[in-house]
Amino acid sequence: MAPTALDHLLEVEGVTVRFGGLAALSDVGLTIAPGTVAGLIGPNGAGKTTLFNVLSGVVRPQSGSITLKGERLRDHRPHQLAGLGVSRTFQGLNLFGHMSVLDNVIVGADRLARGGLPEMLTGLGRYQRDERELTARAMAALEEFGVADTAHALPGTLPYGVQKRVALARALVSEPELLLLDEPASGLSGDDTAELAAKIRGFGRRMGVMLVEHHMDLVMDVCDHIVVLNFGQVICSGPPAVVQADPAVAEAYLGTPAQEENGD
Ligand SMILES: Nc1ncnc2c1ncn2[C@@H]1O[C@H](COP(=O)(O)OP(=O)(O)OP(=O)(O)O)[C@@H](O)[C@H]1O
Ligand SMILES: [Mg+2]
């Protein structure tokens, strides 16, 4: 079967989510091309995490469609994500505190290996080999983020920046085609943020990335395309220079002074 060159890795059309009387997302549409980094920005409460929750199958939209690699997603569930080629990190860490760093990362790979029922029913030998492979892959992912020496520690005993790297290793270990990052730079030092920027550019060469971030320097630096949400609506979409020059975007941020991050 010849590989098809898909214009869009992900296509979101007309997605609306209401929580009671609140429209968290209103008729949201966007696309992500393979091998690009798309930024999703907007003030607090704009609907960014809600969109990630829709993509992850955690929140069901009242209307709209999600098409991944040309296939419409219907009723997908969070545990199916790795099998679909999608991986996410969470706002905050979301690591399992009672499990070692290595086991946390294995969870990310495990979902992929055990994705299909036939896999589970094909015997113990296969299963044991899977376990060894999973451990090797998880260690390689930890090494990629320079934290392999923490493999047997509990996450809570490690500095925040190290835990953030473990969370990234967990998301990357399944080798996703679409990576959703929800505020990966929050709580990081300037040096760690610069290192993260380089990593995200690297991910963007291997997969499609959707980046939610409040650090505007990072967003402008690493994104090929940016979508701006305000009160659940897309108010601007385009390359960084276009978004930066759009008065509607400045107005949305000025309406929420807590988001200003002008350091000079
Ligand atoms: N499960 C839920 N039930 C009710 N309201 C919700 C739920 N999840 C989100 N909301 C509301 O939907 C709106 C969008 O929230 P969301 O978390 O998507 O914003 P966000 O853009 O990620 O904000 P932040 O930058 O602060 O993380 C907010 O008003 C929020 O309070
Ligand atoms: Mg959020």
Side-chain angles (χ1 to χ4, degrees):
M1 201 169 59
T4 47
L6 287 168
D7 291 341
H8 303 309
L9 175 62
L10 175 76
E11 190 166 13
V12 173
E13 282 182 302
V15 164
T16 293
V17 172
R18 282 185 217 92
F19 294 118
L22 175 91
L25 294 173
S26 301
D27 195 22
V28 167
L30 58 86
T31 58
I32 298 183
T36 63
V37 180
L40 181 64
I41 66 170
N44 291 116
K48 306 178 296 294
T49 297
T50 301
L51 185 60
F52 273 18
N53 285 337
V54 169
L55 297 175
S56 307
V58 175
V59 166
R60 294 267 169 247
Q62 271 78 25
S63 58
S65 67
I66 300 157
T67 307
L68 182 72
K69 294 178 277 177
E71 299 258 330
R72 173 115 184 237
L73 293 187
R74 294 175 199 274
D75 301 326
H76 65 300
R77 309 281 305 157
H79 69 269
Q80 297 167 328
L81 277 186
L84 292 167
V86 181
S87 198
R88 85 181 275 193
T89 64
F90 293 84
Q91 194 169 339
L93 287 163
N94 230 55
L95 294 171
F96 301 111
H98 61 286
M99 287 164 56
S100 71
V101 160
L102 178 62
D103 285 341
N104 266 278
V105 177
I106 285 175
V107 168
D110 203 20
R111 290 198 191 113
L112 187 66
R114 295 181 185 180
L117 190 61
E119 297 264 296
M120 291 180 71
L121 299 176
T122 50
L124 196 61
R126 168 72 196 264
Y127 223 60
Q128 283 175 336
R129 199 187 71 216
D130 275 355
E131 292 292 337
R132 280 199 300 275
E133 281 176 14
L134 290 177
T135 302
R137 282 175 60 171
M139 284 307 297
L142 287 168
E143 265 155 36
E144 185 184 343
F145 291 92
V147 291
D149 58 330
T150 68
H152 301 293
L154 290 178
T157 64
L158 301 168
Y160 191 78
V162 174
Q163 294 186 58
K164 281 285 225 191
R165 287 169 205 218
V166 173
L168 281 173
R170 183 175 63 182
L172 266 294
V173 71
S174 62
E175 291 170 22
E177 289 166 86
L178 175 64
L179 175 66
L180 310 173
L181 301 173
D182 199 347
E183 303 199 22
S186 71
L188 292 189
S189 68
D191 283 354
D192 280 349
T193 303
E195 202 176 296
L196 176 70
K199 282 278 182 212
I200 293 173
R201 271 189 240 104
F203 302 154
R205 288 191 283 273
R206 285 152 57 186
M207 63 198 79
V209 179
M210 197 164 183
L211 171 68
V212 166
E213 251 307 330
H214 288 297
H215 284 67
M216 285 307 132
D217 290 349
L218 174 64
V219 170
M220 297 299 163
D221 181 18
V222 304
C223 292
D224 302 293
H225 185 94
I226 298 172
V227 174
V228 189
L229 284 178
N230 194 28
F231 294 113
Q233 291 181 316
V234 176
I235 59 164
C236 179
S237 174
V242 168
V243 168
Q244 258 173 326
D246 189 328
V249 176
E251 203 174 305
Y253 276 93
L254 289 172
T256 54
Q259 283 310 306
E260 287 178 37
E261 279 192 69
N262 198 338
D264 47 35

